[in-house]
Amino acid sequence: MSDMRHQVDYLVLGSGIAGLSFAVQAARHGSVALLAKRSRSESNTAYAQGGIAAVFGPQDSFDQHIHDTLVAGGGLCREEAVRVTVTEGPTRVRELIELGAEFTRDASPFGYHLTREGGHSQRRVVHAADLTGMEVERTLLGAAAAAGVQFFEDHHAIELILASKLGASSERVVGAYALDTRSGHVHSFVAKAVVLATGGAGKVYLYTTNPDVATGDGLAMAHRAGAAVANLEFIQFHPTCLYHPEAKNFLISEALRGEGGILRNKAGEAFMERYDSRKELAPRDVVARSIDSELKRRGDDSAFLDMTHLGKAFLVEHFPHIYTTCLAFGFDMAVAAIPVVPAAHYVCGGVCTDLQARTTLPGLLAAGEVACTGVHGANRLASNSLLEGLVFGHRAADTARGIAAESPRPPPVPDWDPGGAVPPDEGVIVKQNWDEIRHLMWNYVGIVRTDKRLARAQRRLDNLAGEIQEYYWGYLVDRDMLELRNLAEVARLIVACAQERKESRGLHYTLSWTGDVPPRDTVLVRGRPAPSAWPR
Ligand code: FAD
Ligand code: SIN
């Protein structure tokens, strides 16, 4: 049942750094409705620890940041997108500071402490101790509210609305249907421009650093609507999450390794030098694979991150959140090395966009983790994600303004039609399928892949997709069902992209690679209409 229709200039799906950066700008020239599927502050952004990479250091330069990003990206970055992100980054970070963000200060001429992470040749990560994301959310939520953005919390976007479904000849996206998860009603939101900023999909994997909202909804919705997506084989596994049954893969920031943390195996050996000359500060794909290999070689459950030589005062000052959280789980980082394992962290691919954040569907923009701008290529450089969200959220607002100025009045949109669906009565099916997908993705489509494992995953997912579709059409929508449907769709896209890439590159590492296949460019899953203008 639909009891509410909303019409605005701009519809934003997502309240993380990308959606909020967009909304703050767009609200200056039009009405903005912003949907968040849970509370407005629940997002990947809010959990970010390390910080935002941007060129501020006295020895640093745009060229070095660009170079580091391209090296981490394994030859698949879109250089123009990297250049835009790196060169516009410092201005966007300063704007955050002007909006009131309190980053960690020091006595340098810049005035703010810069930390270091893997793959960066310089200290260039601006941060708020180890709670950077929370500070960014706090700042942007305040600015968006002050700018008059209308928030719709607990509004779960279900499907994008296409003009073609309303009888028009264009593929234009004119809005979205969303489930109010408190009332169970489905509302329609119509806008001149729609911005996808729904974040990542870590929940596709059994072990992930991501919070529960990260189920790949935007990616699945855009794909169903016909937008092109790309590079989904490149799932980044963060090397270090706390290994404890109740810690829910609590992240142990890479900044700890940046400040001198050493990875050891259970025997106490510092093993990274055996894998890469950059040791603990090699890019993430290398470190995560090295840990995986060390665990398999020795049959251990976890590796250990040793920070004892840094001293308690330093740890408490720089990493207060991590220090106290570890302590609550019984680990004193100042006294002993803590157990760590890799977990799914970030989706490098996504919905293809150009440098103006336009997807291949008119009226639909995308920014942040859901988008594939080409900045990350085959592997994202640490702390480049918040940066990309800031830069492209802002760029999307400029683009949307132009779209709104030219847009015809959106056509009338019919209410959501539940057809003959009845209230769900088999929650167990949703749970079973959800668990199965997350297990099989972890086991078959994880850090190390083979053709056989991918084929197995594909067969299982094809079966599950049939069951899930049947369930979706038979029952009234609820949040669990919607997330499961999207999770399954994203899992299939990841596998499809992984099967296309026969070489090991960046985050896609396959034991089936014999070395005699030619290097592969971007894996593009074509949408409707087939994109011609997205080179990488
Ligand atoms: P998010 O911040 O994830 O926001 C997504 C929003 O979309 C949420 O509001 C959610 O409710 C909404 N949403 C999703 N689906 C729907 C739907 N169907 N309907 C309505 N709303 C929906 N990156 C860095 O650069 N530096 C770091 O230090 C860093 N640390 C990290 C630490 C952790 C633990 C994690 C998980 C990630 C970290 N990252 C870091 C990555 C970075 O935080 C994310 O990539 C980035 O915040 C994504 O921002 P976003 O705006 O695209 O999406
Ligand atoms: C971290 O703090 O290690 C996360 C940084 C990132 O994902 O960019």
Side-chain angles (χ1 to χ4, degrees):
M1 164 163 126
S2 172
D3 61 356
M4 200 78 95
R5 296 173 191 168
H6 304 268
Q7 187 153 351
V8 286
D9 292 318
Y10 308 111
L11 172 64
V12 190
L13 306 181
S15 61
I17 193 166
L20 289 170
S21 296
F22 172 89
V24 169
Q25 292 306 314
R28 297 182 177 171
H29 41 81
S31 54
V32 182
L34 188 149
L35 273 53
K37 72 185 202 182
R38 303 218 179 161
S39 80
R40 65 184 74 183
S41 58
E42 188 58 3
S43 58
N44 272 6
T45 299
Y47 292 83
Q49 293 182 352
I52 310 175
V55 173
F56 287 114
Q59 319 291 335
D60 205 357
S61 66
F62 289 150
D63 282 347
Q64 289 179 82
H65 191 179
I66 291 169
H67 179 259
D68 293 345
T69 303
L70 297 178
V71 168
L76 281 189
C77 298
R78 188 180 176 198
E79 194 163 338
E80 210 29 50
V82 175
R83 187 167 299 281
V84 156
T85 306
V86 166
T87 55
E88 294 178 10
T91 308
R92 299 285 90 88
V93 172
R94 282 190 197 280
E95 283 166 2
L96 266 185
I97 293 172
E98 278 156 25
L99 287 174
E102 279 292 338
F103 294 122
T104 299
R105 292 171 189 264
D106 71 5
S108 66
F110 169 48
Y112 292 91
H113 181 255
L114 298 172
T115 192
R116 187 168 183 173
E117 291 181 280
H120 288 278
S121 56
Q122 294 287 336
R123 282 187 173 268
R124 65 166 70 100
V125 181
V126 180
H127 62 105
D130 54 357
L131 284 169
T132 307
M134 247 179 226
E135 184 56 15
V136 168
E137 274 288 317
R138 185 194 68 75
T139 305
L140 286 174
L141 281 172
V149 171
Q150 299 175 64
F151 283 93
F152 294 85
E153 297 180 288
D154 297 303
H155 275 64
H156 193 303
I158 305 172
E159 219 57 290
L160 297 169
I161 304 172
L162 290 166
S164 58
K165 294 276 162 65
L166 309 174
S169 57
S170 120
E171 297 282 347
R172 182 171 207 86
V173 173
V174 294
Y177 289 110
L179 171 71
D180 176 344
T181 53
R182 285 166 306 191
S183 69
H185 295 174
V186 176
H187 305 305
S188 61
F189 290 81
V190 173
K192 293 176 180 166
V194 178
V195 183
L196 269 187
T198 46
K203 295 299 280 188
V204 170
Y205 285 89
L206 186 57
Y207 303 112
T208 176
T209 62
N210 291 189
D212 291 345
V213 289
T215 53
D217 300 348
L219 188 53
M221 279 190 286
H223 177 63
R224 283 197 293 270
V229 303
N231 277 352
L232 289 165
E233 69 276 35
F234 300 123
I235 302 296
Q236 184 168 72
F237 292 81
H238 196 290
T240 56
C241 298
L242 189 63
Y243 180 67
H244 184 284
E246 277 149 40
K248 256 199 134 184
N249 303 108
F250 175 69
L251 187 78
I252 302 296
S253 176
E254 188 153 326
L256 275 156
R257 278 178 281 125
E259 297 295 341
I262 300 167
L263 281 166
R264 301 189 185 279
N265 61 24
K266 207 170 178 182
E269 293 160 0
F271 60 82
M272 273 310 298
E273 60 199 27
R274 277 196 272 111
Y275 292 92
D276 193 288
S277 59
R278 292 162 292 184
K279 299 194 277 191
E280 278 76 8
L281 288 183
R284 265 182 209 169
D285 55 335
V286 175
V287 180
R289 256 194 322 273
S290 307
I291 295 178
D292 187 65
S293 156
E294 195 67 8
L295 298 187
K296 290 197 170 116
R297 185 179 75 80
R298 293 180 42 86
D300 292 345
D301 289 333
S302 76
F304 293 83
L305 187 64
D306 185 357
M307 278 98 41
T308 51
H309 53 293
L310 298 179
K312 181 168 174 175
F314 179 87
L315 292 171
V316 170
E317 186 192 338
H318 287 264
F319 304 103
H321 176 57
I322 297 174
Y323 184 82
T324 48
T325 306
C326 287
L327 211 53
F329 287 109
F331 304 111
D332 186 341
M333 287 165 33
V335 172
I338 59 170
V340 289
V341 283
H345 183 60
Y346 184 85
V347 182
C348 290
V351 181
C352 299
T353 68
D354 63 11
L355 296 183
Q356 278 68 47
R358 284 184 297 231
T359 70
T360 55
L361 293 179
L364 182 67
L365 306 174
E369 192 167 340
V370 70
C372 183
T373 59
V375 169
H376 309 305
N379 179 32
R380 173 177 69 98
L381 187 65
S383 288
N384 265 358
S385 169
L386 293 176
L387 179 71
E388 186 200 33
L390 267 181
V391 168
F392 278 88
H394 195 280
R395 285 192 150 234
D398 291 341
T399 308
R401 186 178 191 178
I403 293 175
E406 293 163 7
S407 275
R409 202 181 157 74
V413 164
D415 285 348
W416 176 256
D417 179 8
V422 298
D425 62 357
E426 288 271 33
V428 66
I429 297 180
V430 174
K431 185 178 176 336
Q432 165 65 29
N433 289 349
W434 177 283
D435 289 347
E436 197 168 338
I437 291 171
R438 299 185 69 207
H439 273 94
L440 79 84
M441 288 301 286
W442 183 259
N443 290 328
Y444 296 160
V445 199
I447 296 172
V448 177
R449 300 160 180 179
T450 65
D451 285 349
K452 243 190 196 160
R453 288 179 204 165
L454 292 177
R456 230 170 242 163
Q458 188 213 325
R459 280 197 299 276
R460 282 304 302 137
L461 287 168
D462 286 350
N463 276 343
L464 287 169
E467 273 175 35
I468 292 167
Q469 275 307 86
E470 210 176 284
Y471 194 86
Y472 174 77
W473 289 112
Y475 295 96
L476 293 176
V477 288
D478 66 10
R479 190 178 70 194
D480 290 349
M481 176 63 226
L482 293 174
E483 289 186 342
L484 171 66
R485 178 172 177 244
N486 292 330
L487 216 61
E489 181 123 13
V490 171
R492 291 176 86 194
L493 287 169
I494 294 171
V495 173
C497 288
Q499 285 181 313
E500 287 278 311
R501 186 168 295 286
K502 301 295 179 197
E503 58 171 348
S504 289
R505 184 188 283 255
L507 295 158
H508 177 73
Y509 185 79
T510 170
L511 297 175
S512 304
W513 185 32
T514 51
D516 57 5
V517 291
R520 161 97 215 219
D521 203 340
T522 293
V523 174
L524 188 67
V525 179
R526 281 174 187 282
R528 229 183 23 245
S532 54
W534 206 84
R536 282 191 167 174

